[in-house]
């Protein structure tokens, strides 16, 4: 069984919603998913091997585990949080990084922000530019816990917004 690359350890799932999980398996194979907070679902892979299902999340919290399995194979994702997930998008200034990465000057106060960026309940998912003439079905990405090392190359606007949300709400925050 294969699960979409958007799913990884350390991810944040949107609270109190039906969240999709999808992937590939042999055609007709029964596929199941279970969140350690008590939600489960199952489906079958279609003729081309694609499958999808949804799990209902709960109120903000964690860490949890999400397990996805099929015939004799189980993939378990660890340290999964449930909270607020935000897509950081916009003009090119959204790509301006928190730290000094060589080709762009850092934000004002970057040394302080980078050194203080020890937020285990803020998770970052950085999506690289990937041009394609056809829709991509899998990107093989990995969520990262917000640390001084991971925040340097992340969107300054996205991070500062997420940090403010975390300080205001005191729940896990996922930034994409």
């Amino acid at each position: 069984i294969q699960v979409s690359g958007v799913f990884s350890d350390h991810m944040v799932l949107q609270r109190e919603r039906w969240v999709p999980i999808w992937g590939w398996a042999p055609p007709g194979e029964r596929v199941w998913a279970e969140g350690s907070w008590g939600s489960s679902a199952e489906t079958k892979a279609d003729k081309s091997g694609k499958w999808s299902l949804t799990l209902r999340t709960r109120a903000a919290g964690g860490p949890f585990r999400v397990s996805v399995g099929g015939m004799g194979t189980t993939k378990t994702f660890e340290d999964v949080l449930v909270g607020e997930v935000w897509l950081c998008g916009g003009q090119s200034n959204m790509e301006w990084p928190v730290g000094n990465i060589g080709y762009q000057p850092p934000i004002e106060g970057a040394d302080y922000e980078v050194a203080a960026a020890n937020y285990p309940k803020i998770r970052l998912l950085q999506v690289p530019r990937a041009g394609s003439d056809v829709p991509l079905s899998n990107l093989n990405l990995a969520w990262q816990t917000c640390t001084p090392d991971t925040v340097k190359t992340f969107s300054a606007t996205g991070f500062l917004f997420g940090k403010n949300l975390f300080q205001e709400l005191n729940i896990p925050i996922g930034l994409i």
Side-chain angles (χ1 to χ4, degrees):
I1 189 165
Q2 191 177 22
V3 181
S4 167
V6 178
F7 253 68
S8 75
D9 293 325
H10 313 297
M11 69 184 145
V12 179
L13 300 176
Q14 181 63 42
R15 64 182 167 157
E16 300 171 340
R17 294 285 184 264
W18 289 98
V19 295
I21 303 172
W22 67 94
W24 304 267
E29 182 172 329
R30 181 183 148 272
V31 178
W32 56 268
E34 181 177 88
S36 64
W37 59 88
S39 181
S40 63
E42 68 176 67
T43 190
K44 277 189 174 184
D46 68 16
K47 292 177 186 176
S48 67
K50 294 179 183 176
W51 59 266
S52 67
L53 51 77
T54 57
L55 284 183
R56 178 74 177 169
T57 58
R58 51 160 283 174
F64 299 107
R65 282 181 322 285
V66 176
S67 297
V68 181
M71 293 179 63
T73 304
T74 301
K75 172 69 179 160
T76 300
F77 300 95
E78 303 285 347
D79 192 24
V80 175
L81 300 178
V82 173
E84 286 290 308
V85 179
W86 288 83
L87 180 63
C88 306
Q91 301 280 335
S92 59
N93 62 359
M94 185 58 75
E95 293 183 359
W96 194 355
V98 174
N100 185 356
I101 58 173
Y103 64 87
Q104 253 180 318
I107 62 168
E108 187 174 320
D111 291 341
Y112 170 79
E113 291 297 344
V114 169
N118 187 16
Y119 296 99
K121 290 188 178 180
I122 298 177
R123 308 292 171 87
L124 312 171
L125 181 66
Q126 195 146 329
V127 180
R129 291 182 184 178
S132 176
D133 292 335
V134 296
L136 300 174
S137 58
N138 199 14
L139 294 175
N140 292 320
L141 304 174
W143 285 85
Q144 297 180 312
T145 301
C146 184
T147 68
D149 286 333
T150 61
V151 80
K152 288 177 192 174
T153 60
F154 200 76
S155 163
T157 303
F159 167 69
L160 294 172
F161 170 72
K163 182 178 98 168
N164 187 43
L165 272 178
F166 175 73
Q167 290 171 339
E168 186 76 24
L169 302 174
N170 195 29
I171 63 172
I173 304 292
L175 301 169
I176 302 171

